[in-house]
Amino acid sequence: TTVQLSNNQFTGELPEQLFFSSSLVTFSAVSNCFHGSIPSSICLNEKLETLALDGLVCALSCRTKILSGISTSYISTISISGGIPDCLWSLYKLKVLHLSGNSLSGTLPSGDIILSSSLKDLSLSYNLLTGSIPRNIQTHSWTKLDLSHNRLSGTLNSNFTTTPSLSLTNNRLSGPIPRRFHDMRNIDILEGSLYDCDYDRNNLPVYDNDKAIYECGSNIFNALYYIW
């Protein structure tokens, strides 16, 4: 029922045979040196509740430091190709889906894909996802949603569901900030985007750590216009 392969130096591709068990409930392979793609055979496991595949290519043995001795920054010598298998979104018992730090490309599920109501914890940070955040994700009920450090663009829906933990930093989002975000306690959305806001910043999320230093997109435009 539980397979835990995390924090090793495993190489090669994730074998499809790992997911042929009909009793699998939890699978974790965080921080290894796998390559290839995320196998769609995962979706054969209708009992799966937790899938944690963060940093499949981030173990120490597959890191190359950019400035050795000067900086801790590194790049990975291998990568995970392709995107997120569409079938994962519909696994009706899946509660936790973590795929951060894999350089996954592509877009988030289109509006015609129905998200499983059991899915509450989604982390897709530090990937290469593009496009907008679909309405079905913005209005889904989450306990944690982390889409930070991608290349997502577009605007946020005024009906974006409030969640106990929300991170959208370092994307290319713009437009107005939903009013319901104003008093959220665990929120991190301002850095790296260009939202509209009032000149006095009163409509920015109160508890976002970047509230004091954030440059409102509308203010930047207005200032340049007035100067012109």
Side-chain angles (χ1 to χ4, degrees):
T1 60
T2 300
V3 177
Q4 170 60 271
L5 306 176
S6 296
N7 300 303
N8 283 288
Q9 312 287 326
F10 289 124
T11 59
E13 298 187 17
L14 272 173
E16 296 216 4
Q17 292 89 336
L18 284 171
F19 306 102
F20 286 170
S21 169
S22 60
S23 59
L24 190 62
V25 175
T26 299
F27 185 90
S28 177
V30 175
S31 187
N32 278 287
C33 291
F34 290 109
H35 69 270
S37 59
I38 297 175
S40 58
S41 60
I42 293 174
C43 299
L44 297 174
N45 295 272
E46 296 183 350
K47 296 181 180 179
L48 191 64
E49 296 182 5
T50 299
L51 180 64
L53 302 178
D54 299 310
L56 288 173
V57 297
C58 292
L60 290 174
S61 61
C62 49
R63 296 181 184 181
T64 300
K65 289 190 176 182
I66 298 175
L67 296 172
S68 184
I70 300 176
S71 171
T72 58
S73 300
Y74 67 91
I75 59 174
S76 179
T77 55
I78 52 179
S79 63
I80 298 297
S81 59
I84 303 167
D86 286 342
C87 59
L88 288 178
W89 303 108
S90 302
L91 282 176
Y92 71 97
K93 286 194 174 182
L94 190 63
K95 299 176 182 178
V96 177
L97 178 60
H98 285 192
L99 302 174
S100 296
N102 289 313
S103 297
L104 295 172
S105 59
T107 60
L108 293 171
S110 59
D112 57 350
I113 294 179
I114 299 176
L115 300 183
S116 170
S117 59
S118 64
L119 186 58
K120 299 296 183 182
D121 184 343
L122 178 64
S123 181
L124 302 176
S125 59
Y126 292 94
N127 282 298
L128 303 173
L129 299 173
T130 57
S132 60
I133 304 175
R135 181 182 177 86
N136 56 352
I137 285 185
Q138 297 198 35
T139 57
H140 187 75
S141 176
W142 303 102
T143 57
K144 177 183 178 182
L145 178 62
D146 187 352
L147 304 177
S148 62
H149 296 271
N150 278 286
R151 299 174 180 177
L152 299 171
S153 56
T155 60
L156 301 181
N157 193 292
S158 60
N159 293 323
F160 202 117
T161 304
T162 55
T163 173
S165 178
L166 176 64
S167 180
L168 303 174
T169 58
N170 286 287
N171 278 290
R172 299 167 183 177
L173 300 168
S174 58
I177 300 172
R179 290 180 180 272
R180 56 182 60 192
F181 285 3
H182 189 268
D183 295 318
M184 282 180 59
R185 289 279 179 174
N186 191 4
I187 185 168
D188 192 8
I189 69 170
L190 294 176
E191 182 185 5
S193 290
L194 203 61
Y195 298 108
D196 297 338
C197 62
D198 295 339
Y199 199 80
D200 60 7
R201 303 168 182 265
N202 279 339
N203 62 333
L204 291 178
V206 174
Y207 299 103
D208 193 305
N209 290 331
D210 292 299
K211 178 180 183 292
I213 59 174
Y214 178 70
E215 289 291 342
C216 302
S218 53
N219 289 347
I220 294 173
F221 175 82
N222 292 341
L224 292 174
Y225 180 77
Y226 294 146
I227 292 172
W228 179 80

